[in-house]
């Protein structure tokens, strides 16, 4: 059967496990690099702390809150908080 | 000034200590003054790979705590007099090391040696961070396998953000890829990531490719770094790595499968 293998081998090569491995790695590594570059280590804890303080006073759902740390040109870093307030919060 | 080189990987068992031992000994054989430091506090093994485990009296932590001088703790290699080993402590806890006291030891060693090779523990805990903090160069040891490649990428992130060079905004650590346990035959069969695949993913310059080799286990059994086995493929590949570190241009070997003849290909074998 070695003779047969020799002629059919080329087709099989396209879905090798190595190419699967490469594809999976490229995706996960790109994803992890992205989160690494954008987020400092303290960001998740900072997010939790800010939310906790906010919730002492107003109702904030997870969806109506976002936090972002952006690197701008030069040495400038901007911490951006977005809190969506619904009507009930601004009545009094 | 001494070149401080960390041998790191993230993942365990990929060949950091084997590589540290081979490269350190190779650099010393070329006439350089080299010290090998085992940063794996609690799990020392470099001494065993170097074959000097019976000669350990004092260790890295003893030096840091002022219980021994550097000279007392350094073990001179019996094969090459310009090579010394600073063993890790076997019993102390990992918190013994910090930036200040490690920095002091490295500074003192820098006055005595041309190369300081830091054999990092696995993981991304304090010990691994200490091993890479003062590095000028990093040899990122990687197996052509998904978890090892991913962990190497995480370590690259640490080198770029958590090292002294990163903190002080100096020129970044020079990164080298060392691919170990490489099997050209399996690559050809599509069962293993190729050199090019790993280079693509990690995008750092290739320092060397060490083929999967029976010589490595034999070398560790005997406590003779594999670079001394000059007949073996792994020994030769490590020699190439040493030459490249010293600035020579050396063609990559052992990255292509041995070609079979047309008959054995057609009729199996």
């Amino acid at each position: 059967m070695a003779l047969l293998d020799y002629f059919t081998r080329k087709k099989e090569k396209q879905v090798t496990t190595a190419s699967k491995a490469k594809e999976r790695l490229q995706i996960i590594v790109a994803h992890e690099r992205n989160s690494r570059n954008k987020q400092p280590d303290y960001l998740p804890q900072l997010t939790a702390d800010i939310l906790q303080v906010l919730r002492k006073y107003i109702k904030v759902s997870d969806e109506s809150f976002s936090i972002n740390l952006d690197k701008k040109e030069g040495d400038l870093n901007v911490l951006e908080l977005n809190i969506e307030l619904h009507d009930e919060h601004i009545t009094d | 000034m001494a070149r401080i080189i960390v041998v790191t990987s993230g993942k365990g068992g990929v060949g950091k200590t084997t590589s540290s031992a081979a490269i350190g000994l190779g650099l010393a054989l070329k006439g350089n003054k080299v010290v090998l430091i085992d940063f794996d506090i609690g799990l020392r093994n470099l001494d065993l790979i170097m074959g000097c485990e019976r000669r350990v009296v004092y260790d890295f932590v003893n030096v840091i705590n002022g219980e021994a001088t550097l000279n007392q703790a350094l073990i001179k290699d019996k094969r090459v007099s310009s090579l010394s080993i600073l063993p890790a402590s076997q019993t102390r806890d990992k918190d013994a090391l910090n930036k200040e006291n490690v920095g002091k030891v490295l500074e003192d060693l820098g006055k005595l040696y041309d190369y300081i090779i830091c054999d990092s523990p696995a993981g991304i805990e304090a010990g691994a961070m200490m091993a890479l903090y003062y590095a000028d160069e990093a040899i990122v040891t990687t197996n052509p396998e998904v978890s090892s490649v991913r962990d190497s990428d995480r370590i690259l992130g640490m080198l770029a953000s958590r090292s002294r060079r990163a903190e002080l905004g100096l020129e970044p650590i020079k990164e080298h890829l060392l691919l170990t346990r490489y099997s050209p035959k399996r690559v050809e069969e599509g069962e293993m990531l190729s050199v090019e695949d790993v280079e693509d993913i990690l995008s750092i310059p290739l320092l060397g490719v060490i083929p999967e080799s029976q010589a490595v286990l034999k070398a560790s059994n005997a406590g003779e770094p594999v670079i001394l086995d000059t007949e073996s493929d792994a020994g030769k590949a490590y020699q190439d790595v040493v030459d490249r570190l010293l600035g020579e241009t050396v063609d990559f070997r052992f990255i292509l499968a041995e070609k079979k003849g047309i008959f054995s290909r057609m009729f199996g074998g």
Side-chain angles (χ1 to χ4, degrees), chain B residues 5-33:
Chain B
I5 304 177
V6 61
V7 180
T8 183
S9 71
K11 191 174 181 298
V14 297
K16 284 181 297 295
T17 302
T18 298
S19 299
S20 301
I23 293 167
L25 193 79
L27 285 168
L29 282 169
K30 286 266 183 166
N32 299 287
K33 285 180 274 178

Side-chain angles (χ1 to χ4, degrees), chain A residues 1-7 9 13 15-26 28-30 32-33 36 41, chain B residues 145-147 149-150 153-154 156-158 162 188-193 196-197 200-203 262 265-268:
Chain A
M1 282 298 105
L3 188 63
L4 202 66
D5 289 346
Y6 181 71
F7 289 111
R9 200 176 337 177
K13 270 204 171 161
V15 278
T16 58
T17 54
S19 60
K20 263 189 220 166
K22 187 182 184 186
E23 198 187 318
R24 289 171 60 219
L25 273 169
Q26 278 173 324
I28 190 67
V29 163
E32 285 173 350
R33 272 184 203 162
R36 189 156 81 209
D41 294 346
Chain B
E145 177 273 325
V146 285
S147 49
V149 175
R150 180 199 211 171
D153 190 67
R154 290 216 56 193
L156 289 171
M158 302 288 176
R162 305 274 291 272
E188 198 163 85
E189 285 162 0
E191 293 176 3
M192 183 181 270
L193 291 164
E196 294 79 19
D197 290 341
D200 263 8
I201 295 160
L202 296 178
S203 36
I262 181 87
R265 285 221 301 221
M266 282 173 74
F267 301 108

Side-chain angles (χ1 to χ4, degrees), chain A residues 80-92:
Chain A
E80 187 184 63
L81 283 180
N82 255 309
I83 309 151
E84 245 177 72
L85 292 181
H86 299 287
D87 292 345
E88 51 197 288
H89 297 130
I90 19 182
T91 42
D92 61 356

Side-chain angles (χ1 to χ4, degrees), chain B residues 102-259:
Chain B
V102 171
K104 177 76 176 69
V105 171
L106 291 181
E107 195 189 322
D108 292 346
L109 288 171
K111 292 173 196 152
L112 305 168
Y113 294 92
D114 306 317
Y115 288 87
I116 301 175
I117 312 281
C118 304
D119 182 18
S120 173
I124 50 170
E125 306 291 306
M129 291 304 112
M130 273 303 112
L132 67 78
Y133 186 75
Y134 288 98
D136 301 310
E137 297 177 46
I139 296 176
V140 180
T141 314
T142 308
N143 289 167
E145 177 273 325
V146 285
S147 49
S148 174
V149 175
R150 180 199 211 171
D151 292 356
S152 289
D153 190 67
R154 290 216 56 193
I155 282 293
L156 289 171
M158 302 288 176
L159 291 169
S161 63
R162 305 274 291 272
S163 62
R164 174 181 155 272
R165 284 176 171 271
E167 282 181 7
L168 300 181
L170 302 172
E171 195 185 320
I173 292 178
K174 191 171 171 193
E175 301 154 339
H176 306 277
L177 173 62
L178 180 64
L179 205 52
T180 53
R181 307 199 65 168
Y182 194 70
S183 169
K185 188 167 171 287
R186 301 198 72 184
V187 171
E188 198 163 85
E189 285 162 0
E191 293 176 3
M192 183 181 270
L193 291 164
S194 69
V195 178
E196 294 79 19
D197 290 341
V198 181
E199 280 183 290
D200 263 8
I201 295 160
L202 296 178
S203 36
I204 57 169
L206 184 67
L207 175 68
V209 180
I210 313 299
E212 172 81 61
S213 166
Q214 306 200 336
V216 173
L217 181 59
K218 282 197 249 172
S220 77
N221 287 342
E224 298 276 341
V226 70
I227 198 165
L228 292 170
D229 187 350
T230 51
E231 296 300 304
S232 69
D233 45 2
K236 289 175 189 165
Y238 274 117
Q239 188 57 56
D240 290 353
V241 167
V242 168
D243 293 341
R244 287 188 199 106
L245 276 175
L246 293 171
E248 287 174 43
T249 309
V250 187
D251 286 340
F252 288 94
R253 298 191 268 180
F254 316 111
I255 53 177
L256 295 173
E258 277 172 44
K259 285 276 169 278

Side-chain angles (χ1 to χ4, degrees), chain B residues 4-79:
Chain B
I4 304 180
I5 304 177
V6 61
V7 180
T8 183
S9 71
K11 191 174 181 298
V14 297
K16 284 181 297 295
T17 302
T18 298
S19 299
S20 301
I23 293 167
L25 193 79
L27 285 168
L29 282 169
K30 286 266 183 166
N32 299 287
K33 285 180 274 178
V34 181
V35 60
L36 281 166
I37 309 179
D38 190 347
F39 271 82
D40 205 344
I41 307 298
L43 287 172
R44 105 171 142 226
N45 273 321
L46 183 64
D47 56 337
L48 213 46
I49 300 300
M50 293 300 295
C52 64
E53 70 278 5
R54 302 279 299 274
R55 295 165 61 209
V56 175
V57 182
Y58 294 108
D59 60 53
F60 196 2
V61 176
N62 289 136
V63 174
I64 276 174
N65 292 343
E67 295 152 0
T69 64
L70 256 181
N71 263 331
Q72 288 175 306
L74 287 169
I75 303 169
K76 224 177 199 64
D77 191 87
K78 286 212 163 138
R79 294 154 294 218

